[in-house]
Amino acid sequence: MASTSTSLGLLADFNVQNFVALLQKGGRGSELHCVSGPFGQTINLLLDPKAEFWLASYEALVLWTLPERAIPTFGKVLLCEEYDQEDLLKEVDAFAGMVERIPGTVRTVFIPSWTAPAAERGWGTLDLTVGVANALMRMNLQLAARLEKNRRVVLLDAQRWLTADGVGAYNPKLWYLSKTPFDVTVFQEAAGDLLAALDGIRGRSKKMVVLDLDDTLWGGVVGDVGWQNLRLGGHDPAGEAFVDFQKALKRLMRRGIILSIVSKNEEAVALEAIREHPEMILRIDDFAGWRINWQDKAQNLIELVSELNLGMDSVVFLDDSPFERARVREALPQVLVPDLPNDPMRYPSFLSRMKCFDNPSVSSEDRSRTRMYVADRARTESRKQIESLNEWLAMLGLGVAVEPLSAKNLERAAQLFNKTNQMNLSTRRLSVVELLTWAQAEGHTLWTFRVWDRFGDYGLCGIGSLVRDGTVGQIVDFLLSCRVMGRGVEDAMLAALLQRARESGCDTVWVDYAPTAKNLPCKKWLYNLTAVAIEGNRLTFSLNHATAFPAHIKMSLTEVNERICV
């Protein structure tokens, strides 16, 4: 994969050179260009939007302040002076206001939470009641509430970084020598979280965990001991750990991560264990798919990922066997294959520390993703029973609803922009703020497309955007989730956009296809369309005739307009 350059701005009340070095070292193949403002000048720069620091465009900005510098009243708390809590929170609101006025050239603003030195006892036994700990909790909660609706701000938990280093997190000698407050371990934890957050924003976070079964999801070999004798739950330390491991996996699933199985076993025996064992936390419907047989795991993984329309670079493979891990690493280098601990009692904590699943938001589609894949299994089974593709499509009872951009679907729409690769015309990557700004511009129309059928709801799957200039229109964005490709939904979306263009006075619409390594399916579909003139990567549609919608799809176009309901 070609290296992509990312510009990252850093504003801090202290020396961040150690932090910058760790960020650049851990950039995972991307060229990370870090620009640091002078430390100790954070508030001055926030108050001066015309300062030289803001002349650059940053994909992200890290705003890491010391609480006593950002919130003057907190300095009184540290000195055990009397203070007014109302003044403290007003200063937090004022700081939040400065954050909101950060120039729009910054796509995302990361703000680590305010912390006290790790060994700071503040007011002693009164600290949690009226002292430092009390004030910090109120300040962080107030900041979170104040910036909750600011879609480009991401708050990071800095206390977790200090906890990882214990009492050595705050390094007074480094502070006095170089104005570096934290030990390197704190910066390592911070760099890991930040890089994971950047991956999530770029759509590079992992989407699926593929699991072995024996000695991975449970203890023991089910084919040898039977499901009744597996180590799972009960008054058994390892059994409890396997249950907690499954609980941790279930939490990931509720965040939108897909779970699936690749295991060398007899399928009937393994599935019986999942269905029947009373201590199983994960059940059949928690898995999007599986390959349970005696075949090569790498080949099984290829088939499973293809079936689920995912990319290999979106997969994490968890297996207790060093041999199987080595085999998958060698055959499929794009798959992340971490080494599980030798002791299964460390599985839950190991999984909870993995940063590769971080995403900037969780939509309703994320939470119901596994249910959608379970419905897909039913669709696949129905397809096997009907020979004709047209008959199967008619049987599905597909419906497509066209909706304007709104507060309810904005987060999901931004996800599609940053994650969709195969059916994506322009491959533009837009943040939530950039998407909303673009959609609200004069002459711009952006619609979202929600899809369902008799087996269930696919959720918000597509986006189409149109720019009008007199009698000519341009379809700028056209993207569709791979889960519904090839079922006529793309034809229905195009028909809706062309009809809107005609209604608004256009007689011609054109698109520019931007080729990438992954969007070949979009090209194949576009170049097979009829009634379109093709010249290189530009395709032009004439609107002389009425638009035909696919006969097997029920369109919901009522009350669709260009109003942005945000």
Side-chain angles (χ1 to χ4, degrees), residues 1-7 24 26-33 59 199 202 204 517:
M1 181 181 296
S3 172
T4 56
S5 178
T6 299
S7 181
Q24 292 178 325
R28 290 191 285 274
S30 294
E31 181 187 345
L32 194 61
H33 177 58
E59 179 175 349
D199 278 347
R202 297 169 185 154
R204 296 179 184 174

PDB file of all heavy atoms in Angstrom, residues 1-7 24 26-33 59 199 202 204 517:
ATOM      1  N   MET A   1       0.849  -1.189   0.000  1.00  0.00           N
ATOM      2  CA  MET A   1       0.000   0.000   0.000  1.00  0.00           C
ATOM      3  C   MET A   1       0.879   1.231   0.000  1.00  0.00           C
ATOM      4  O   MET A   1       1.845   1.324   0.745  1.00  0.00           O
ATOM      5  CB  MET A   1      -0.911  -0.011   1.245  1.00  0.00           C
ATOM      6  CG  MET A   1      -1.850   1.188   1.312  1.00  0.00           C
ATOM      7  SD  MET A   1      -2.868   1.150   2.816  1.00  0.00           S
ATOM      8  CE  MET A   1      -3.810  -0.322   2.530  1.00  0.00           C
ATOM      9  N   ALA A   2       0.536   2.198  -0.797  1.00  0.00           N
ATOM     10  CA  ALA A   2       1.322   3.413  -0.872  1.00  0.00           C
ATOM     11  C   ALA A   2       1.210   4.195   0.418  1.00  0.00           C
ATOM     12  O   ALA A   2       0.191   4.222   1.076  1.00  0.00           O
ATOM     13  CB  ALA A   2       0.846   4.274  -2.048  1.00  0.00           C
ATOM     14  N   SER A   3       2.308   4.841   0.766  1.00  0.00           N
ATOM     15  CA  SER A   3       2.333   5.650   1.974  1.00  0.00           C
ATOM     16  C   SER A   3       1.478   6.895   1.784  1.00  0.00           C
ATOM     17  O   SER A   3       1.466   7.507   0.743  1.00  0.00           O
ATOM     18  CB  SER A   3       3.777   6.035   2.304  1.00  0.00           C
ATOM     19  OG  SER A   3       3.820   6.953   3.360  1.00  0.00           O
ATOM     20  N   THR A   4       0.719   7.259   2.826  1.00  0.00           N
ATOM     21  CA  THR A   4      -0.079   8.467   2.784  1.00  0.00           C
ATOM     22  C   THR A   4       0.416   9.412   3.867  1.00  0.00           C
ATOM     23  O   THR A   4       0.692   9.010   4.985  1.00  0.00           O
ATOM     24  CB  THR A   4      -1.564   8.149   3.031  1.00  0.00           C
ATOM     25  OG1 THR A   4      -1.696   7.459   4.280  1.00  0.00           O
ATOM     26  CG2 THR A   4      -2.127   7.277   1.924  1.00  0.00           C
ATOM     27  N   SER A   5       0.529  10.688   3.503  1.00  0.00           N
ATOM     28  CA  SER A   5       1.066  11.674   4.430  1.00  0.00           C
ATOM     29  C   SER A   5      -0.054  12.243   5.288  1.00  0.00           C
ATOM     30  O   SER A   5      -1.123  12.577   4.790  1.00  0.00           O
ATOM     31  CB  SER A   5       1.768  12.784   3.656  1.00  0.00           C
ATOM     32  OG  SER A   5       2.247  13.765   4.538  1.00  0.00           O
ATOM     33  N   THR A   6       0.187  12.340   6.573  1.00  0.00           N
ATOM     34  CA  THR A   6      -0.767  12.897   7.505  1.00  0.00           C
ATOM     35  C   THR A   6      -0.110  14.037   8.261  1.00  0.00           C
ATOM     36  O   THR A   6       0.962  13.867   8.841  1.00  0.00           O
ATOM     37  CB  THR A   6      -1.239  11.827   8.513  1.00  0.00           C
ATOM     38  OG1 THR A   6      -1.878  10.774   7.801  1.00  0.00           O
ATOM     39  CG2 THR A   6      -2.211  12.422   9.514  1.00  0.00           C
ATOM     40  N   SER A   7      -0.754  15.196   8.254  1.00  0.00           N
ATOM     41  CA  SER A   7      -0.240  16.343   8.983  1.00  0.00           C
ATOM     42  C   SER A   7      -0.929  16.409  10.339  1.00  0.00           C
ATOM     43  O   SER A   7      -2.159  16.470  10.430  1.00  0.00           O
ATOM     44  CB  SER A   7      -0.497  17.628   8.192  1.00  0.00           C
ATOM     45  OG  SER A   7       0.027  18.737   8.875  1.00  0.00           O
ATOM     46  N   GLN A  24       5.952   9.305  15.391  1.00  0.00           N
ATOM     47  CA  GLN A  24       6.546   9.090  14.075  1.00  0.00           C
ATOM     48  C   GLN A  24       7.115   7.682  13.949  1.00  0.00           C
ATOM     49  O   GLN A  24       7.050   7.077  12.881  1.00  0.00           O
ATOM     50  CB  GLN A  24       7.618  10.144  13.824  1.00  0.00           C
ATOM     51  CG  GLN A  24       7.031  11.543  13.668  1.00  0.00           C
ATOM     52  CD  GLN A  24       8.064  12.620  13.464  1.00  0.00           C
ATOM     53  OE1 GLN A  24       9.154  12.558  14.018  1.00  0.00           O
ATOM     54  NE2 GLN A  24       7.723  13.622  12.664  1.00  0.00           N
ATOM     55  N   GLY A  26       5.894   5.035  15.411  1.00  0.00           N
ATOM     56  CA  GLY A  26       4.788   4.068  15.370  1.00  0.00           C
ATOM     57  C   GLY A  26       3.764   4.339  14.301  1.00  0.00           C
ATOM     58  O   GLY A  26       2.631   3.882  14.391  1.00  0.00           O
ATOM     59  N   GLY A  27       4.137   5.107  13.272  1.00  0.00           N
ATOM     60  CA  GLY A  27       3.180   5.523  12.251  1.00  0.00           C
ATOM     61  C   GLY A  27       2.657   4.432  11.352  1.00  0.00           C
ATOM     62  O   GLY A  27       1.811   4.671  10.512  1.00  0.00           O
ATOM     63  N   ARG A  28       3.140   3.206  11.494  1.00  0.00           N
ATOM     64  CA  ARG A  28       2.642   2.041  10.770  1.00  0.00           C
ATOM     65  C   ARG A  28       2.579   2.265   9.261  1.00  0.00           C
ATOM     66  O   ARG A  28       1.570   2.032   8.618  1.00  0.00           O
ATOM     67  CB  ARG A  28       1.273   1.628  11.304  1.00  0.00           C
ATOM     68  CG  ARG A  28       1.331   1.034  12.704  1.00  0.00           C
ATOM     69  CD  ARG A  28       0.013   0.402  13.072  1.00  0.00           C
ATOM     70  NE  ARG A  28      -0.998   1.379  13.398  1.00  0.00           N
ATOM     71  CZ  ARG A  28      -1.166   1.915  14.615  1.00  0.00           C
ATOM     72  NH1 ARG A  28      -0.362   1.582  15.584  1.00  0.00           N
ATOM     73  NH2 ARG A  28      -2.119   2.777  14.833  1.00  0.00           N
ATOM     74  N   GLY A  29       3.682   2.751   8.700  1.00  0.00           N
ATOM     75  CA  GLY A  29       3.754   2.851   7.242  1.00  0.00           C
ATOM     76  C   GLY A  29       3.289   4.168   6.681  1.00  0.00           C
ATOM     77  O   GLY A  29       3.515   4.470   5.521  1.00  0.00           O
ATOM     78  N   SER A  30       2.600   4.986   7.485  1.00  0.00           N
ATOM     79  CA  SER A  30       2.165   6.279   6.996  1.00  0.00           C
ATOM     80  C   SER A  30       3.190   7.331   7.393  1.00  0.00           C
ATOM     81  O   SER A  30       3.741   7.301   8.484  1.00  0.00           O
ATOM     82  CB  SER A  30       0.804   6.650   7.590  1.00  0.00           C
ATOM     83  OG  SER A  30      -0.191   5.773   7.117  1.00  0.00           O
ATOM     84  N   GLU A  31       3.422   8.252   6.513  1.00  0.00           N
ATOM     85  CA  GLU A  31       4.326   9.360   6.807  1.00  0.00           C
ATOM     86  C   GLU A  31       3.567  10.358   7.675  1.00  0.00           C
ATOM     87  O   GLU A  31       2.636  11.009   7.226  1.00  0.00           O
ATOM     88  CB  GLU A  31       4.793  10.018   5.520  1.00  0.00           C
ATOM     89  CG  GLU A  31       5.768  11.168   5.744  1.00  0.00           C
ATOM     90  CD  GLU A  31       6.082  11.902   4.461  1.00  0.00           C
ATOM     91  OE1 GLU A  31       5.773  11.338   3.386  1.00  0.00           O
ATOM     92  OE2 GLU A  31       6.609  13.015   4.532  1.00  0.00           O
ATOM     93  N   LEU A  32       3.977  10.452   8.939  1.00  0.00           N
ATOM     94  CA  LEU A  32       3.301  11.331   9.882  1.00  0.00           C
ATOM     95  C   LEU A  32       4.116  12.607  10.045  1.00  0.00           C
ATOM     96  O   LEU A  32       5.224  12.589  10.587  1.00  0.00           O
ATOM     97  CB  LEU A  32       3.142  10.622  11.230  1.00  0.00           C
ATOM     98  CG  LEU A  32       2.169  11.243  12.233  1.00  0.00           C
ATOM     99  CD1 LEU A  32       0.753  11.262  11.644  1.00  0.00           C
ATOM    100  CD2 LEU A  32       2.182  10.466  13.530  1.00  0.00           C
ATOM    101  N   HIS A  33       3.577  13.695   9.555  1.00  0.00           N
ATOM    102  CA  HIS A  33       4.273  14.981   9.618  1.00  0.00           C
ATOM    103  C   HIS A  33       3.728  15.760  10.814  1.00  0.00           C
ATOM    104  O   HIS A  33       2.577  16.203  10.819  1.00  0.00           O
ATOM    105  CB  HIS A  33       4.053  15.764   8.325  1.00  0.00           C
ATOM    106  CG  HIS A  33       4.681  17.123   8.331  1.00  0.00           C
ATOM    107  ND1 HIS A  33       6.033  17.321   8.534  1.00  0.00           N
ATOM    108  CD2 HIS A  33       4.125  18.357   8.175  1.00  0.00           C
ATOM    109  CE1 HIS A  33       6.293  18.618   8.494  1.00  0.00           C
ATOM    110  NE2 HIS A  33       5.155  19.269   8.279  1.00  0.00           N
ATOM    111  N   GLU A  59      -4.769  17.354   9.454  1.00  0.00           N
ATOM    112  CA  GLU A  59      -5.800  16.315   9.525  1.00  0.00           C
ATOM    113  C   GLU A  59      -6.289  16.186  10.961  1.00  0.00           C
ATOM    114  O   GLU A  59      -7.460  15.923  11.212  1.00  0.00           O
ATOM    115  CB  GLU A  59      -5.261  14.969   9.037  1.00  0.00           C
ATOM    116  CG  GLU A  59      -6.292  13.861   9.115  1.00  0.00           C
ATOM    117  CD  GLU A  59      -5.825  12.552   8.519  1.00  0.00           C
ATOM    118  OE1 GLU A  59      -4.783  12.527   7.859  1.00  0.00           O
ATOM    119  OE2 GLU A  59      -6.521  11.546   8.711  1.00  0.00           O
ATOM    120  N   ASP A 199      -6.276   5.803  12.877  1.00  0.00           N
ATOM    121  CA  ASP A 199      -6.672   4.683  12.023  1.00  0.00           C
ATOM    122  C   ASP A 199      -8.189   4.577  11.936  1.00  0.00           C
ATOM    123  O   ASP A 199      -8.750   4.304  10.866  1.00  0.00           O
ATOM    124  CB  ASP A 199      -6.089   3.373  12.557  1.00  0.00           C
ATOM    125  CG  ASP A 199      -4.637   3.158  12.131  1.00  0.00           C
ATOM    126  OD1 ASP A 199      -4.172   3.892  11.241  1.00  0.00           O
ATOM    127  OD2 ASP A 199      -3.983   2.266  12.691  1.00  0.00           O
ATOM    128  N   ARG A 202      -9.567   7.244   9.657  1.00  0.00           N
ATOM    129  CA  ARG A 202      -9.267   6.955   8.244  1.00  0.00           C
ATOM    130  C   ARG A 202     -10.002   5.714   7.743  1.00  0.00           C
ATOM    131  O   ARG A 202      -9.904   5.355   6.573  1.00  0.00           O
ATOM    132  CB  ARG A 202      -7.769   6.704   8.073  1.00  0.00           C
ATOM    133  CG  ARG A 202      -6.878   7.881   8.407  1.00  0.00           C
ATOM    134  CD  ARG A 202      -5.452   7.383   8.448  1.00  0.00           C
ATOM    135  NE  ARG A 202      -4.502   8.390   8.860  1.00  0.00           N
ATOM    136  CZ  ARG A 202      -3.348   8.112   9.444  1.00  0.00           C
ATOM    137  NH1 ARG A 202      -3.020   6.862   9.687  1.00  0.00           N
ATOM    138  NH2 ARG A 202      -2.521   9.064   9.779  1.00  0.00           N
ATOM    139  N   ARG A 204      -9.381   2.638   8.899  1.00  0.00           N
ATOM    140  CA  ARG A 204      -8.422   1.539   8.881  1.00  0.00           C
ATOM    141  C   ARG A 204      -8.487   0.641  10.114  1.00  0.00           C
ATOM    142  O   ARG A 204      -7.651  -0.242  10.282  1.00  0.00           O
ATOM    143  CB  ARG A 204      -7.009   2.096   8.751  1.00  0.00           C
ATOM    144  CG  ARG A 204      -6.751   2.839   7.447  1.00  0.00           C
ATOM    145  CD  ARG A 204      -5.336   3.381   7.422  1.00  0.00           C
ATOM    146  NE  ARG A 204      -5.090   4.174   6.226  1.00  0.00           N
ATOM    147  CZ  ARG A 204      -3.966   4.860   6.018  1.00  0.00           C
ATOM    148  NH1 ARG A 204      -3.007   4.844   6.929  1.00  0.00           N
ATOM    149  NH2 ARG A 204      -3.812   5.559   4.908  1.00  0.00           N
ATOM    150  N   ALA A 517      -6.990   1.202  -6.262  1.00  0.00           N
ATOM    151  CA  ALA A 517      -6.686  -0.236  -6.247  1.00  0.00           C
ATOM    152  C   ALA A 517      -7.882  -1.067  -5.814  1.00  0.00           C
ATOM    153  O   ALA A 517      -7.921  -2.269  -6.065  1.00  0.00           O
ATOM    154  CB  ALA A 517      -5.497  -0.492  -5.308  1.00  0.00           C
TER     155      ALA A 517
END
